[in-house]
Amino acid sequence: MQLAEVNGNWTPQEKALHEARLKAKAKRRLRKSSSRNSTSESFSESGDLAGGDPHSPKGKVTTNDRKSRTGKGRGLPKKGGAGGKGVWGAAGMVYEDEEPDARDPNYDESAQGDTVYATVVPEVDERELEKMVNPIVQEYFEHGDTKEVQMLLKGLNLGPHKYEFSSLAVSLSLEGKASHRELTSRLLSDLSGKVLSQSDMARAFDKMLKELPDLILDTPEAPQMLGQFIARAIADHVLPMSFLDCYKGKVDCEHARVALDRAAVLLTMKREMVRLDNVWGVGGGLRPVKHLVKEMNLLLKEYLTSGDVSEAEHCLRDLEVPHFHHELVYEVVVMVLESKGDTASHMMIKLLQSFWKTGLITVDQMNRGFQRVYDELPEINLDVPHAHSIMETFVDLCYQESVITKQLRDACPSRGRKRFVSEGDGGVIKN
């Protein structure tokens, strides 16, 4: 009766909403009952759970239930978290090495054994060889460390063209200085037996003998220099002693004959010596100071005899000691002070003027040379009584010829006592 009254008071919208809810509830009940019937029918068809008690624990079937079917267990993951797809296993588990199975589809018999990894360096192309070798040789001329060159060569895969390193190094030294040729001879000696064999060296020098007509275009003295290289290499056991014998009567090139004859002459002259250490001389700062002083004295004495300024300049450049040119200036001034007459003075001024104009002697070296004489003038005066007056005259002439600066001329020390014209001149100083 109450329901009728409530229904009688509903509005049409509320009544329609209530009916929709009842229909939806009936559909859910129908769907749930149909699914239970289909499940029971499927199990009864398979015969697994037919006739089972639906109220017993074993009678309930839940396909997605991960709990123990026996009612035991604590609800923890299986295998302590070590199982499942894509996992590393339990913490602290150590896996042993597994032997390859011959029945494995991926088994490769040829791939078994120790795997060796090696760095493969591509072989240097013959066209790129010169571009790679030239910087190595040029840097060696600066630092002179043969071990560094040896290390760099071992890092390159020169292949069958490694003998060409020797010929390229010698070619570059022919265009350089005497010190470069000395360094090249030392380099060949240190590389022999370690990086390059005697056969490689012989092949390199044979190639250079054939290339002499082209080398002469840049270096006219190439045949003589190459002969000295061959003689030094034979003395250093870089080349075999029979190297020259292989060319007797078999050389048609005139330049090659000159080189081989030069080597034969040097080996004959130095037969008593184990090494031809002085074939190039010792250039640059490698020479001892006493030897450099002796060479400069000899240079100046030859100049006073011949008067050839160009030859003196050539000899000074060959010494390759621009930082030691102040010694030459010092020796020039001392020779002028110890000489008799004005001939030596004028010749030395001419020499210094030439060196000054060509830039062979710098301002600093010129000043240092004269200043050394200024400092030692009291000691020089003991052996040369008129050293002060000769020095003043020479300094004035050098300044007039623009060899020295005005500051250097004014720094020249004068006599210890004043020079008067006469006793009764009233104290006028002689100019």
Side-chain angles (χ1 to χ4, degrees):
M1 187 70 176
Q2 186 178 0
L3 181 61
E5 292 178 357
V6 174
N7 292 339
N9 295 331
W10 280 352
T11 62
Q13 292 82 359
E14 292 176 347
K15 185 177 180 180
L17 180 61
H18 181 67
E19 292 177 356
R21 288 177 179 174
L22 292 177
K23 291 180 180 180
K25 191 174 182 181
K27 287 183 179 180
R28 285 197 298 270
R29 288 176 180 175
L30 180 61
R31 190 183 299 115
K32 189 174 182 180
S33 62
S34 64
S35 62
R36 286 179 180 175
N37 294 334
S38 62
T39 303
S40 61
E41 289 174 1
S42 62
F43 276 92
S44 63
E45 290 175 0
S46 61
D48 293 339
L49 297 177
D53 186 3
H55 299 286
S56 65
K58 295 182 179 180
K60 297 180 180 180
V61 179
T62 306
T63 56
N64 295 327
D65 188 9
R66 295 176 61 88
K67 296 181 180 180
S68 175
R69 300 293 187 268
T70 62
K72 298 180 181 180
R74 297 175 295 166
L76 298 177
K78 293 186 295 183
K79 299 184 181 179
K85 183 178 180 181
V87 298
W88 286 97
M93 183 179 292
V94 179
Y95 294 95
E96 298 180 356
D97 294 336
E98 295 184 2
E99 294 293 334
D101 188 2
R103 294 173 294 179
D104 190 343
N106 296 324
Y107 178 80
D108 186 3
E109 183 178 359
S110 61
Q112 303 305 316
D114 296 335
T115 304
V116 180
Y117 297 94
T119 303
V120 179
V121 180
E123 184 177 317
V124 178
D125 188 26
E126 186 177 4
R127 294 170 294 182
E128 300 293 330
L129 180 63
E130 186 174 354
K131 294 181 181 179
M132 301 183 70
V133 168
N134 283 3
I136 296 176
V137 177
Q138 294 293 350
E139 290 180 6
Y140 168 70
F141 288 160
E142 298 295 331
H143 57 70
D145 189 358
T146 58
K147 292 184 178 179
E148 182 174 345
V149 179
Q150 182 177 343
M151 179 185 66
L152 292 174
L153 289 181
K154 287 183 177 180
L156 297 176
N157 184 9
L158 299 180
H161 307 293
K162 64 179 181 179
Y163 75 94
E164 295 188 19
F165 174 81
S166 302
S167 58
L168 289 173
V170 173
S171 300
L172 289 174
S173 66
L174 293 180
E175 301 173 1
K177 306 175 183 178
S179 60
H180 294 168
R181 293 186 279 276
E182 173 66 22
L183 288 171
T184 304
S185 292
R186 294 183 184 181
L187 179 62
L188 297 182
S189 177
D190 290 347
L191 294 180
S192 178
K194 299 176 182 178
V195 179
L196 301 172
S197 62
Q198 281 192 347
S199 60
D200 293 330
M201 296 290 185
R203 191 176 176 185
F205 278 100
D206 181 68
K207 178 183 178 182
M208 295 199 65
L209 287 171
K210 296 177 181 178
E211 294 177 351
L212 272 177
D214 296 330
L215 295 175
I216 288 178
L217 299 177
D218 296 328
T219 309
E221 300 178 355
Q224 292 81 2
M225 291 182 181
L226 185 58
Q228 293 176 208
F229 264 115
I230 294 174
R232 174 69 177 268
I234 293 176
D236 291 346
H237 304 288
V238 173
L239 291 175
M241 296 298 294
S242 59
F243 181 79
L244 294 179
D245 298 336
C246 299
Y247 291 93
K248 288 184 178 180
K250 301 179 182 179
V251 180
D252 298 329
C253 178
E254 179 182 357
H255 305 301
R257 284 200 299 268
V258 172
L260 295 171
D261 291 342
R262 175 67 172 168
V265 170
L266 288 174
L267 290 171
T268 304
M269 293 174 58
K270 305 292 183 179
R271 183 175 297 175
E272 302 298 329
M273 298 181 63
V274 179
R275 295 168 63 94
L276 291 173
D277 286 330
N278 296 325
V279 69
W280 302 118
V282 184
L286 299 177
R287 290 189 176 191
V289 174
K290 291 183 179 180
H291 184 76
L292 290 173
V293 173
K294 183 179 179 181
E295 289 289 334
M296 289 183 178
N297 268 299
L298 182 61
L299 179 157
L300 294 174
K301 289 179 182 178
E302 290 180 353
Y303 167 70
L304 290 175
T305 304
S306 63
D308 191 349
V309 178
S310 61
E311 179 64 22
E313 181 178 349
H314 178 71
C315 293
L316 183 61
R317 290 185 185 276
D318 283 346
L319 291 179
E320 300 179 29
V321 283
H323 61 282
F324 200 62
H325 286 175
H326 61 85
E327 177 66 28
L328 179 75
V329 178
Y330 172 82
E331 296 294 338
V332 165
V333 180
V334 170
M335 281 188 178
V336 170
L337 295 179
E338 295 178 350
S339 63
K340 297 179 181 179
D342 298 334
T343 304
S345 177
H346 291 293
M347 291 184 67
M348 290 302 185
I349 291 176
K350 181 182 177 182
L351 182 66
L352 291 179
Q353 188 179 27
S354 175
F355 290 168
W356 176 265
K357 289 181 178 179
T358 57
L360 191 57
I361 296 180
T362 61
V363 177
D364 179 64
Q365 296 295 318
M366 189 73 74
N367 291 343
R368 286 187 62 185
F370 272 90
Q371 191 61 47
R372 286 177 58 192
V373 180
Y374 292 168
D375 297 339
E376 298 179 10
L377 199 56
E379 299 178 3
I380 297 176
N381 193 48
L382 298 177
D383 299 327
V384 183
H386 302 286
H388 281 88
S389 59
I390 298 173
M391 188 68 188
E392 290 177 358
T393 304
F394 182 70
V395 167
D396 289 336
L397 290 174
C398 288
Y399 175 69
Q400 292 174 8
E401 297 295 334
S402 301
V403 174
I404 62 175
T405 61
K406 184 176 183 300
Q407 290 82 1
L408 187 60
R409 186 200 66 173
D410 296 340
C412 179
S414 59
R415 285 180 177 273
R417 61 182 181 86
K418 295 181 180 180
R419 295 173 292 171
F420 298 97
V421 176
S422 62
E423 295 181 357
D425 56 1
V428 178
I429 300 176
K430 182 179 180 181
N431 294 326

